[in-house]
Amino acid sequence: MANSFYDIAGQLAQLKQQGLYRSRRLVDSPQGVLLKVDGKQVINFCSNDYLGLANHPEVVARFKQAADQYGVGSGSAHLICGHSSAHHALEEELAEFTGRHRALLFSTGYMANLGLISALVGRSDTVLEDRLNHASLLDGGLLSRAQFQRYRHLEDNDLQEKLAACTGKALIVSDGVFSMDGDLADMPRLAELAKQYQAGLLVDDAHGLGVLGKSGGGIVEHYDLSTDDVPILMGTLGKAFGTFGAFVAGSDDLIEWLIQKARSYVFTTAMPSAIAEATRVSLRLLQTEVWRREKLQHLISRFKAGAQQQGLQLMDSVTAIQPILIGDSQRAVDMSAALLAQGFWVSAIRPPTVPVGTARLRVTFSAEHEYHQVDALLDALGKVIA
Ligand SMILES: *Cc1c(COP(=O)(O)O)cnc(C)c1O
């Protein structure tokens, strides 16, 4: 006999027992380095607001003005009557920022990846993904119905073997900066392999844009690659940009194809225009306020040096994502709770977000952190992990 369909309580209990139960905490303040959580002020080390733009006064002011100008809701999908001049201007600015012909806005990064991959490959094709790619990239690959192959993390030999065996079109898909590890894809090598095997290459640079590269151009700028090396670039607006939404940038034909075929673009309501206007301001700040990127790098260096002195096990990351490997899920959760009790919010990341046995504390930095806050975090980590 089949299991009872409605034994959800039993399944929940099982999650709790495995240390995999997830719950939300209530935040009662704007996003920033100091958060009021469950009524108490804590220092935030778990946000993706890397440049501190989520509550920037100029971004907020433009958002309010634009709500007066456009209202709140966008009314429909882009292809019906929801595509405003605010969206269009942001798309043009994102295209210029990434050095590509065009850019297309999506309502979230998750949706961008689902729509993008499933519009580009189908049943007779193959999609090749790094094992540690973001869930939305993996889900996009599965949804496409293409043959789905995962290669071992950063192992180009494994990828090359799989490419050599492909029939039909092949699409290589990778995070630029891996979201739970903070390490970088070997983008020059991926570009080389894509050319050698005439495969497509799609990079999701959610955690690189704004953070890497002199002008915040992300992983592509970091490695000094051309648009020809990385023809399909996806970025999110909810991280370093500090707002909400996502985009794909590439050739005119690519964008035109997505407008026709990306179902998560066609069949969903456009993001509010006020978000687009606020994002235009954050795009300008991201490019011009270079000190934010520089400060972030100083904070990261200080943390890494301090962590090394304390013998903390960091991962191979030069980015704002600095995970500390713990292993056991319950242990990671207990440590996160102990840190919170001391006033530091660091999230525990567990399976299935990361592979079994690699639960971790994921520390992230923002340009708005102060150096003494990093030192205080290191002290607290030392006590909790000892
Ligand atoms: C956050 C993230 C996404 C999803 O973007 P949302 O706009 O939050 O839906 C996609 N890819 C990567 C690598 C991410 O880190």
Side-chain angles (χ1 to χ4, degrees), residues 10 101 167 244 273 289 320 346 364 376-377 386:
H101 288 121
T167 54
F244 188 79
S273 293
E289 297 199 346
V346 174
T364 56
L377 172 68

Side-chain angles (χ1 to χ4, degrees), residues 334-386:
D334 293 346
M335 285 177 172
S336 173
L339 286 167
L340 193 65
Q342 295 186 51
F344 301 93
W345 196 357
V346 174
S347 54
I349 307 287
R350 294 160 286 167
T353 312
V354 292
V356 173
T358 70
R360 65 202 64 181
L361 293 171
R362 179 177 180 267
V363 178
T364 56
F365 295 99
S366 152
E368 295 283 341
H369 276 123
E370 307 280 354
Y371 296 110
H372 69 82
Q373 292 171 327
V374 173
D375 298 343
L377 172 68
L378 282 163
D379 277 352
L381 281 168
K383 282 183 218 147
V384 163
I385 291 180

Side-chain angles (χ1 to χ4, degrees), residues 108-110 113 134 136 175 179 204 206-207 234 236 239 245:
T108 71
Y110 191 102
N113 285 335
H134 189 266
S136 57
D175 278 25
S179 51
D204 172 341
H207 300 275
M234 177 275 183
T236 65
K239 288 161 184 154

Side-chain angles (χ1 to χ4, degrees), residues 181-197:
D181 295 64
D183 53 354
L184 308 184
D186 183 352
M187 211 44 71
R189 180 65 181 145
L190 292 183
E192 189 178 279
L193 283 173
K195 284 182 186 163
Q196 186 182 340
Y197 290 92

